[in-house]
Structures are given as structure tokens and as C-alpha cells.
Amino acid sequence: GEQVEQRPPHLSVREGDSAVITCTYTDPNSYYFFWYKQEPGASLQLLMKVFSSTEINEGQGFTVLLNKKDKRLSLNLTAAHPGDSAAYFCAVSANTNAYKVIFGKGTHLHVLP
Amino acid sequence: DPKIIQKPKYLVAVTGSEKILICEQYLGHNAMYWYRQSAKKPLEFMFSYSYQKLMDNQTASSRFQPQSSKKNHLDLQITALKPDDSATYFCASSPRTEGTEVFFGKGTRLTVV
């Protein structure tokens, strides 16, 4: 079945620096990709969803890159601020089974002021 | 107002006992899920249901039994509780549409003593 590896598990950056989180997946049928943010003690909130047809997606303060050839998905937070401190999870589902969304193990990001 | 309601928020149980975690969603979604999050296995997919039918089951133990009395309900019965079952259990839902994201409840934090 699908395997999703997320790196790094922990990341500390200074305010204003960029932070990059990467996920690799194994299922070539993976078609839908998601990034979620989980603040301490809270539930998961969707940050962005990406379809396989789009390689670059920009949000407010971050960019998501999808490299289908290498089966790699990355989240790049530009100019991180303390409010970005949270756990981030990538998630993947295949077009052959949209009900099964597999999550990476998460990255705990700490932005130092 | 929360659209996915999980009860209770916190639960302490004795080893060997049985508990039911409640989940109701008011988003009009047809697919519902259970995920488990602990220090050992962050955000682990457990079950998916669509129109009250089991679609996918990744939980090896039969001690975990989902129960769906209505389309917008998916409770989780756990029998013969063990300390290793201690985790936060998240209920989630999504429209029965390929590629849509999963929406999460706030979770039930279960501690087995």
C-alpha cells in the first residue's frame, strides 16, 4: 500500500527564515495531495490541496511544490513567523481509492522569535 | 460552531473495560473516517465508511468496531482496552467526491490506566 515519508520530524528556524518540509510517496496512482496544520492541542486544519496536474501552488506565505517524477511533495514556508509554529502533515490519496487518505508522520515546526 | 462533534473530549478508562467514542457530523458528507494519533504512531488511518458501509479497515484488532446508526454518525467501540490504546482519536468526514479533503473533528483524548 501507499507509504508516505515525511522529513524532518522536527524543525527549528528563526523568524524570517524559510522552512522546508518534504514528503515522498510510493503509489504511482497518487493524485491528490494535501497539507494540514495542527496547532498544539487542536485538530488538523487544511492548509492547501494540490492536484496532480499542478506542480506549483502558492498560498499566503508558503509555496507547495509537487515533483511527480521523484514522487516528492514539499511545503516551503517563506519568512516564517512564530504563529507558524505547529505540526504540519502531508497527506496523499490515489485516484483509485479516494476514500483512503494517508498521512505522513508530521513535522513539528518551531519558529524562534 | 463545530460541524464535526466528538464526545467526550477527554476519557479515562480502566484496562479491560469497554468504551464508545461518539462522532456526529453536520457537513452533509457521505464519507466518514477514524484516525488515531499517538506519540508512537502519529495520525494513523483506522477506518473509512461511505453511506454507512465499511470501505477500508486498517486496524488489525477486532477490538475496534465502528458503528454507524445514521449516515452522519460513526461511533467507535473499543473493547478490552489496553494502555497502548491511549491516544487521541479523530473522527473525520469528506464529501463522497474524489479529491476532496478530509475535515477533522477536535478529537477524543483517551487514556487507559
Side-chain angles (χ1 to χ4, degrees):
Chain A
E2 173 77 274
Q3 305 264 349
V4 178
E5 292 289 329
Q6 184 171 343
R7 294 265 188 268
H10 299 275
L11 181 59
S12 289
V13 300
R14 294 216 170 267
E15 185 173 5
D17 288 348
S18 64
V20 180
I21 303 169
T22 301
C23 287
T24 55
Y25 57 94
T26 56
D27 188 346
N29 293 314
S30 296
Y31 195 84
Y32 306 103
F33 306 87
F34 311 89
W35 282 102
Y36 283 82
K37 178 181 180 181
Q38 184 182 29
E39 296 184 351
S43 188
L44 285 84
Q45 299 293 325
L46 181 73
L47 205 57
M48 177 170 276
K49 62 180 175 181
V50 176
F51 291 167
S52 182
S53 56
T54 308
E55 293 187 343
I56 300 176
N57 293 265
E58 295 190 1
Q60 194 166 5
F62 60 89
T63 301
V64 171
L65 300 175
L66 174 63
N67 183 324
K68 288 178 285 186
K69 176 176 174 290
D70 294 341
K71 297 190 187 70
R72 182 165 57 239
L73 177 74
S74 64
L75 172 67
N76 185 342
L77 283 85
T78 52
H81 56 85
D84 291 329
S85 296
Y88 291 82
F89 294 87
C90 64
V92 179
S93 71
N95 55 6
T96 51
N97 186 355
Y99 295 107
K100 191 170 177 180
V101 182
I102 302 300
F103 284 76
K105 295 193 175 192
T107 295
H108 290 267
L109 173 66
H110 187 199
V111 181
L112 303 165
Chain B
D1 290 337
K3 301 297 185 185
I4 301 178
I5 298 172
Q6 288 190 244
K7 297 176 186 175
K9 189 173 181 180
Y10 301 100
L11 184 57
V12 179
V14 176
T15 297
S17 67
E18 171 184 316
K19 292 294 179 186
I20 295 180
L21 310 185
I22 305 295
C23 179
E24 307 170 16
Q25 57 92 3
Y26 296 94
L27 292 165
H29 293 164
N30 297 314
M32 294 187 72
Y33 313 82
W34 278 102
Y35 285 82
R36 175 170 55 192
Q37 186 178 43
S38 67
K40 293 180 182 178
K41 290 187 178 181
L43 212 52
E44 177 189 7
F45 173 90
M46 298 180 75
F47 301 97
S48 65
Y49 267 66
S50 176
Y51 289 107
Q52 296 182 264
K53 290 184 179 178
L54 180 67
M55 301 299 291
D56 213 328
N57 177 357
Q58 292 295 306
T59 301
S61 175
S62 59
R63 296 187 298 106
F64 294 84
Q65 291 292 329
Q67 298 172 343
S68 182
S69 59
K70 299 179 187 178
K71 190 179 79 170
N72 68 327
H73 283 230
L74 186 66
D75 300 336
L76 181 64
Q77 179 186 41
I78 314 174
T79 57
L81 278 160
K82 302 176 180 180
D84 269 357
D85 297 331
S86 298
T88 299
Y89 291 80
F90 287 102
C91 175
S93 70
S94 70
R96 193 177 180 270
T97 306
E98 197 173 284
T100 52
E101 66 270 27
V102 175
F103 295 79
F104 285 84
K106 293 184 181 297
T108 292
R109 181 176 287 183
L110 171 66
T111 302
V112 183
V113 297

